[in-house]
Amino acid sequence: MAPRIRPELIREFAAELGFELVRFGPADLGGQESRFLSWIDQGRHGDMEWLREHREVIADPQRFAPGARSTISLAHDYGGPSIELPSGGRIARYASGRDYHRVLGKALRKLRERLESEGLPHGSVHIGTDAVPVLERALAVQSGLGFLAKSAGVISPTHGPYLLLAEALVPAELPLDLPSPGSCGSCTRCIDACPTDAIVQPFEVDARRCISHATIESRGPIPESMRENLGDWLFGCDVCLEVCPFTSKSPAPNTPRTDWHAPHRAVQRYDLVQVLELDQAAWDADWTGTPIRRATRDGLRRNAAIVLGNRREERALPALRKALEDPSALVREHAAWAIHRMNPNDPQLRNRCRTEQHPRVLAALDGRSAESEID
């Protein structure tokens, strides 16, 4: 016989832990596993190779949580003002403060302890937020937490699209919530507004075209065809969320929700030039506790070079010229690209060509396309 636990207790305790939305659903994906597997087969996961490596587990919640009978789907609304560095360079809202993996992970562990204290067997509750092999958006939709958006996110009809999702799969039978009301209807604002046409069809994003993937997950050069369209985005992208009509549903769209949403000290102190010049010691000292570390130091510096080039910030030219001597070929290539945006005849580009050996960097120094000539 499956263990029992009072549903009202779960909702009450989850709310105390900071989750605005709590819904109960089955421990299955409602047929979305086939969509996910097809997405992987088409290579639309980009550089997120762990998704392909764990595809079988992700497509079957029972492999992640053996014996699970129900899903407790949870969401935290992080809606708030747009965030950028002091002199420009935008940061996705979810990443501006403390690392949500740590904050929500701690809340989930407390929830698990409470569920076990109420009678669920120790070790039977499987929890996660983002960084676990679970198709959490499908579980959230199955639980009625929200409906699937054409941007492939989840929209709550009461809280909008700025949702951090989490889940607990439990061996108890819980009363299932009804499917979420609402839908995108005929709206295509997210598709129309995407700067890189990453939403290739309703409900499907090609990560290889996505600004968030490029600035966060990609460890190599950002495709030349994407760089101009990155605009001011240093880390992540909120465009598809900002244009969504349901954004107005967030209870606090213009103020941070809790203290951990307040901009991280590095976001408040660093400008784009300082990010480009960021050394390892400063990276370790000043950028701890932020999800921006996911990009890696050289990845963030690569992004900063692109944004500086897009902004035509001539004050950054000395730093960009210095970056042409950087140990990282990734940084050198993107610094050369940025200088070309401002002054294709900059003498430092020609000077560096005499000593540069990396083929992609050489192409960038000369203003040629590395992708057409080398890749």
Side-chain angles (χ1 to χ4, degrees), residues 271-298:
D271 65 19
L272 287 167
V273 171
Q274 291 172 315
V275 172
L276 179 65
E277 297 176 328
L278 187 61
D279 62 26
Q280 189 64 48
W283 174 248
D284 292 337
D286 297 339
W287 293 78
T288 56
T290 165
I292 295 174
R293 286 186 68 89
R294 176 69 183 171
T296 75
R297 181 174 70 95
D298 285 348

Side-chain angles (χ1 to χ4, degrees), residues 176-321:
L176 303 185
D177 284 304
L178 296 173
S180 171
S183 74
C184 293
S186 61
C187 179
T188 59
R189 291 188 189 180
C190 60
I191 298 173
D192 300 336
C194 180
T196 53
D197 296 323
I199 308 174
V200 292
Q201 61 184 13
F203 315 109
E204 188 164 339
V205 172
D206 189 334
R208 295 167 296 187
R209 303 184 185 183
C210 179
I211 290 176
S212 286
H213 174 272
T215 57
I216 300 172
E217 302 295 344
S218 175
R219 297 294 173 257
I222 291 180
E224 294 167 27
S225 60
M226 288 183 63
R227 293 176 191 175
E228 184 175 356
N229 289 331
L230 256 66
D232 275 1
W233 288 105
L234 177 68
F235 183 94
C237 178
D238 281 339
V239 170
C240 63
L241 303 174
E242 291 174 339
V243 300
C244 177
F246 283 92
T247 293
S248 62
K249 298 293 185 180
S250 179
N254 297 310
T255 55
R257 301 301 311 281
T258 61
D259 60 347
W260 65 270
H261 288 296
H264 188 275
R265 61 182 182 276
V267 173
Q268 295 176 309
R269 289 169 45 192
Y270 276 74
D271 65 19
L272 287 167
V273 171
Q274 291 172 315
V275 172
L276 179 65
E277 297 176 328
L278 187 61
D279 62 26
Q280 189 64 48
W283 174 248
D284 292 337
D286 297 339
W287 293 78
T288 56
T290 165
I292 295 174
R293 286 186 68 89
R294 176 69 183 171
T296 75
R297 181 174 70 95
D298 285 348
L300 193 66
R301 295 167 68 216
R302 168 202 63 191
N303 300 347
I306 292 176
V307 175
L308 287 168
N310 284 336
R311 291 171 64 89
R312 307 296 207 281
E313 295 217 18
E314 294 192 4
R315 71 178 182 88
L317 279 171
L320 288 166
R321 291 172 184 140

Side-chain angles (χ1 to χ4, degrees), residues 36 39-58 133 207-208 213 216-219 294:
F36 166 72
W39 183 76
I40 291 289
D41 288 340
Q42 294 176 73
R44 289 182 169 169
H45 59 296
D47 291 345
M48 297 180 287
E49 191 60 19
W50 65 90
L51 293 176
R52 185 190 63 80
E53 293 173 353
H54 298 287
R55 55 184 290 168
E56 288 81 11
V57 178
I58 295 172
R208 295 167 296 187
H213 174 272
I216 300 172
E217 302 295 344
S218 175
R219 297 294 173 257
R294 176 69 183 171

Side-chain angles (χ1 to χ4, degrees), residues 1-5 69 119-121 124 171-173:
M1 183 177 177
R4 292 178 145 327
I5 190 167
R69 293 173 177 257
L120 294 186
S124 69
E173 296 282 0

